[in-house]
Amino acid sequence: HHGALDGRYVFKRSYGDVIWTKGKMEKDYLVGKCGVPREIVEIGAPALPTNWTRPEQPDHKTFRPYLLFISEAYDMSGGRTEEFYRDILPPLADLALATGRELIVKLHPGESRRERTGMVARVLSPQQKGVMRIVSGPLTEEVLAKAWFGITILSTVAMECAIRGIPCFLCKWLESWPYLYVEQFIRFGVGIGLDHPGEIERIPEFLQANPVSVDVRENCWSPAAHGRLREILTTSRKAHTAVR
């Protein structure tokens, strides 16, 4: 599955002999939350791209100039996007102003840049808009390398941030999906939960108290053992031949 987790396993059946997951968090989710039999779930992610990791231990001494808000196409699932923006963007812009940083609003491919630009104009003051920039298209390594932290309601980008050692905050009070993704992210250290908009201004305190652990990467992404795919395919082919 291309995302961090796939809650559809709650009601769909897999006909595979083996289900490969990307890491411990996804395996625990399939077995514990979705009821997939443990014996068919195995950790086997692709090799991790080398540019997905920061060379240094995560710390707060290196100045990173971006506050990264990962937006989503909330209206496609019935979400009230402008109300979400009113909760999240003003305090983020104020934090950017207070710390001499820039607020990057990264749009999902399903979002209209023109429409979102109009929403942002309605929820931010002229001063706040001066430290905000909307970005569309793929999320680049250049942007991630300069991110002080990420913040989202619910996005696979939270896992991508954790792998790179970037703290990511999750706006729990706005979660509307029934699959309990945010709960699973927080349990495995992939995200830091926020309970209400007033906590956004306290993010610098949370960063001091909750540094990202390098161990979180293994919760998200553990490559398959060398030769394991060949072993599975060989075993399956022999079994199929025997049945025939």
Side-chain angles (χ1 to χ4, degrees):
H1 184 61
H2 78 278
L5 303 170
D6 186 359
R8 292 173 297 179
Y9 272 99
V10 170
F11 53 82
K12 75 176 182 180
R13 179 181 176 184
S14 172
Y15 292 90
D17 298 317
V18 178
I19 299 176
W20 263 5
T21 66
K22 293 177 286 296
K24 297 175 183 176
M25 177 178 72
E26 188 178 12
K27 179 177 180 178
D28 177 87
Y29 183 82
L30 288 182
V31 175
K33 294 288 196 301
C34 300
V36 177
R38 181 179 297 274
E39 60 270 17
I40 70 170
V41 182
E42 184 176 320
I43 296 175
L48 190 66
T50 54
N51 61 355
W52 274 36
T53 59
R54 279 182 172 165
E56 76 277 10
Q57 181 80 8
D59 58 43
H60 308 293
K61 297 178 182 178
T62 303
F63 184 82
R64 298 190 174 93
Y66 294 162
L67 281 61
L68 178 62
F69 171 60
I70 303 103
S71 186
E72 293 283 320
Y74 308 114
D75 33 17
M76 293 179 65
S77 57
R80 300 179 298 277
T81 304
E82 187 163 333
E83 292 185 24
F84 292 176
Y85 277 19
R86 286 187 187 279
D87 272 3
I88 299 170
L89 294 187
L92 279 177
D94 288 341
L95 184 57
L97 284 165
T99 59
R101 289 179 165 89
E102 184 178 18
L103 170 58
I104 303 293
V105 177
K106 169 62 180 70
L107 299 183
H108 184 273
E111 293 182 280
S112 162
R113 185 185 183 108
R114 182 171 62 86
E115 184 180 21
R116 295 302 192 247
T117 299
M119 286 186 183
V120 169
R122 291 192 291 271
V123 304
L124 295 182
S125 70
Q127 185 182 23
Q128 290 170 333
K129 284 186 289 185
V131 294
M132 185 279 310
R133 175 161 54 102
I134 293 177
V135 173
S136 55
L139 183 57
T140 66
E141 293 297 328
E142 179 184 5
V143 169
L144 286 166
K146 295 180 179 179
W148 185 27
F149 63 82
I151 182 169
T152 185
I153 297 173
L154 177 61
S155 172
T156 297
V157 176
M159 182 182 74
E160 297 181 16
C161 286
I163 291 171
R164 293 168 171 84
I166 302 168
C168 191
F169 293 86
L170 307 171
C171 302
K172 293 167 54 181
W173 74 94
L174 294 175
E175 183 190 15
S176 59
W177 282 73
Y179 297 126
L180 303 177
Y181 289 166
V182 168
E183 175 186 298
Q184 189 75 354
F185 282 3
I186 293 172
R187 194 159 75 87
F188 278 82
V190 174
I192 303 168
L194 299 176
D195 293 317
H196 54 80
E199 290 190 326
I200 292 176
E201 67 180 23
R202 298 181 56 207
I203 283 179
E205 299 174 33
F206 293 142
L207 291 176
Q208 290 293 336
N210 300 280
V212 174
S213 168
V214 293
D215 296 333
V216 169
R217 188 180 303 155
E218 291 187 7
N219 291 339
C220 300
W221 201 281
S222 296
H226 180 71
R228 179 57 180 149
L229 179 58
R230 182 183 299 275
E231 179 185 345
I232 290 173
L233 294 177
T234 301
T235 303
S236 298
R237 185 166 60 247
K238 289 179 179 177
H240 179 68
T241 302
V243 170
R244 291 182 63 187

